[in-house]
Amino acid sequence: MNILVINSGSSSLKYQLFKMPEKAPICSGLVERIGIEGSFIKHTVYANSEKHSIEEAGFIANHGEALKQVLALLTQGEYAVITSPDDVAAVGHRVVHGGEHFSGPTIITDEVKQQIKKLFSLAPLHNPVNYKCIEVAEQTFVNAKQIAVFDTAFHQTIPEQAYHYAIPESYYKEHGIRVYGFHGTSHKYVSEQAINWLNKKDSKIISIHLGNGCSITAIKNGKSIDTSMGFGPLSGLMMGTRSGDIDPSVIFHLMEHSGYTLEQLSTLVNKQSGLLGVGGSSDMRDIRKMVNEGNAAAVLALKLYTYRIKKFIGAYAAILNGIDAIIFTAGVGENDSNMREAVCSELNYLGIELDPAQNTGYNGELKEINTADSKVKILVIPTNEEYEIAHQCFRLIG
């Protein structure tokens, strides 16, 4: 059964085609810097123990345009992997916000699409692009089942003392205002890999997902018990363009004294803040380059970014009552050894001791980067949200 997985982030689109139940994909690809200068696509086909890669550069304005180019790569040229759209039985879509409506993979209907649209305001960088990709896929893979896998599903195990806000209960009951959490598919996948590596089901794990969007989750015995993102994917850690935690008084102040509209404020904290707002770029690679050039704003951005991660590690160590392992995953977490070293520095009181030699030369596989006598395992685990989505889709319809 061929299942195409589409995982659209705020400025990226990852995809993989699986012949389930095989774990290895037939092909995979990545579209990066969508809406940013320097956009490119890397498409890789795996066949007969060989891989064939195609790279295309050129500005890609939005996710709809990106997906159309991806679909052309799947069906055209020397390395086409399907002869027609009918070769795909299901398309699995990562959808960021499912509210309390969805706690598992769901076949997409008009009603489901309306629910996704209703949640646009809660995930303004993601749900709209997820929805756009669903529409494009429906028009292309007419006979395939379209299935949504929600980022919020893994966090449905968070206890009420963690998901409730300290506001009147009526706001939860009548408006559904609570912590939902995000990046659940990623946290679920990497934590399961860590549990297998530790060979310890009764484990205490902190999973740190650092990409354009960033979140950190406390996982006890395989279940999420707290996470940094909340009602929407804005709170918690500093991110590529999102502010992370900010005192609500700042919002009130700008409305009252500077005449900001709600739309302007949403744009400010979702699209103009984070690494972009402080350091001048939403891409960590650009920030690193500017730091090496002595750019003071970029240096400050890195300090803020690291500081917030360390704060959450301390908080989650407290609610877990100890740590067996911390996980670094996603684009920055997997590829930025300097960031991992900075985050783990001066955390020896928690038993976290990173080995600088092990921290270098990461090859894309699960790797332990702690010292031999570190009480806490420090793991770099490549997230595989696409396979996790394909697996959930296959279980749903297979």
Side-chain angles (χ1 to χ4, degrees):
M1 178 187 292
N2 287 335
I3 297 179
L4 174 66
V5 173
I6 296 171
N7 180 350
S8 51
S10 55
S11 64
S12 64
L13 189 151
K14 293 188 288 184
Y15 60 93
Q16 292 189 25
L17 181 66
F18 295 89
K19 188 175 183 63
M20 296 299 290
E22 297 295 325
K23 186 171 184 178
I26 298 171
C27 73
S28 65
L30 172 65
V31 188
E32 284 207 270
R33 300 176 70 92
I34 297 172
I36 306 171
E37 290 299 324
S39 309
F40 68 92
I41 299 176
K42 183 175 182 179
H43 177 78
T44 304
V45 177
Y46 308 93
N48 301 321
S49 300
E50 296 181 352
K51 65 178 183 179
H52 308 277
S53 294
I54 302 168
E55 294 192 31
E56 298 181 356
F59 181 67
I60 300 171
N62 54 56
H63 288 71
E65 182 180 321
L67 186 53
K68 288 176 182 177
Q69 293 190 36
V70 168
L71 297 176
L73 289 169
L74 294 176
T75 57
Q76 301 172 16
E78 181 181 359
Y79 300 116
V81 291
I82 55 176
T83 58
S84 78
D86 290 343
D87 292 340
V88 174
V91 181
H93 299 266
R94 175 205 178 204
V95 180
V96 166
H97 209 311
E100 286 193 317
H101 300 285
F102 307 106
S103 58
T106 304
I107 293 176
I108 296 171
T109 63
D110 288 341
E111 182 180 354
V112 170
K113 288 168 66 178
Q114 288 306 310
Q115 291 293 343
I116 293 171
K117 287 185 72 173
K118 287 179 181 178
L119 296 166
F120 276 11
S121 63
L122 304 188
L125 297 186
H126 290 87
N127 269 37
V129 297
N130 300 154
Y131 186 90
K132 179 63 176 177
C133 289
I134 289 170
E135 287 195 317
V136 175
E138 285 177 330
Q139 294 165 7
T140 305
F141 299 96
V142 178
N143 295 319
K145 292 186 183 299
Q146 306 290 329
I147 300 171
V149 176
F150 297 91
D151 267 12
T152 48
F154 180 59
H155 301 298
Q156 291 299 302
T157 54
I158 292 176
E160 61 180 359
Q161 67 267 26
Y163 75 69
H164 268 282
Y165 290 113
I167 57 177
E169 181 75 2
S170 60
Y171 288 93
Y172 167 62
K173 291 182 176 179
E174 297 174 16
H175 303 284
I177 295 176
R178 52 158 288 179
V179 170
Y180 290 102
F182 302 90
H183 292 147
T185 306
S186 175
H187 290 300
K188 180 178 186 293
Y189 178 81
V190 297
S191 63
E192 288 175 350
Q193 302 302 304
I195 289 168
N196 290 335
W197 178 263
L198 297 170
N199 194 23
K200 186 177 183 181
K201 291 185 178 180
D202 298 331
S203 56
K204 300 172 182 178
I205 295 171
I206 297 176
S207 174
I208 309 170
H209 179 110
L210 302 177
N212 191 268
C214 303
S215 65
I216 181 168
T217 297
I219 301 166
K220 187 173 184 179
N221 305 336
K223 296 182 178 180
S224 173
I225 64 166
D226 204 352
T227 193
S228 58
M229 287 179 170
F231 181 59
L234 175 62
S235 63
L237 302 178
M238 179 178 173
M239 307 178 216
T241 64
R242 280 169 272 177
S243 66
D245 285 345
I246 186 170
D247 185 346
S249 299
V250 174
I251 304 298
F252 304 148
H253 178 85
L254 290 174
M255 290 179 69
E256 182 177 356
H257 297 285
S258 300
Y260 274 61
T261 65
L262 290 175
E263 183 178 358
Q264 287 174 319
L265 289 167
S266 178
T267 299
L268 170 65
V269 296
N270 280 295
K271 299 181 179 180
Q272 298 174 343
S273 298
L275 288 174
L276 176 64
V278 179
S281 173
S282 62
D283 193 303
M284 182 62 77
R285 291 163 293 193
D286 295 340
I287 295 293
R288 286 287 180 197
K289 182 180 178 181
M290 288 189 284
V291 167
N292 293 334
E293 295 170 349
N295 186 298
V299 171
L300 175 60
L302 279 185
K303 287 181 178 179
L304 290 174
Y305 191 95
T306 306
Y307 182 76
R308 291 197 176 187
I309 298 169
K310 293 168 78 81
K311 281 177 67 175
F312 271 94
I313 290 174
Y316 287 171
I319 66 166
L320 286 166
N321 191 25
I323 316 170
D324 292 313
I326 63 172
I327 302 167
F328 289 94
T329 194
V332 176
E334 294 170 34
N335 298 302
D336 194 326
S337 59
N338 291 324
M339 177 56 64
R340 295 194 297 264
E341 184 173 2
V343 168
C344 292
S345 68
E346 299 182 345
L347 290 180
N348 55 305
Y349 75 100
L350 290 174
I352 298 172
E353 298 186 35
L354 179 140
D355 184 337
Q358 293 298 320
N359 188 38
T360 60
Y362 177 64
N363 64 359
E365 298 180 355
L366 189 154
K367 186 177 183 181
E368 194 173 302
I369 60 171
N370 49 274
T371 61
D373 56 355
S374 177
K375 294 180 180 178
V376 176
K377 299 293 186 185
I378 307 171
L379 305 175
V380 185
I381 303 179
T383 190
N384 197 337
E385 294 171 287
E386 291 77 23
Y387 173 74
E388 180 63 31
I389 291 168
H391 179 63
Q392 291 190 37
C393 292
F394 183 64
R395 288 177 60 189
L396 180 66
I397 67 174

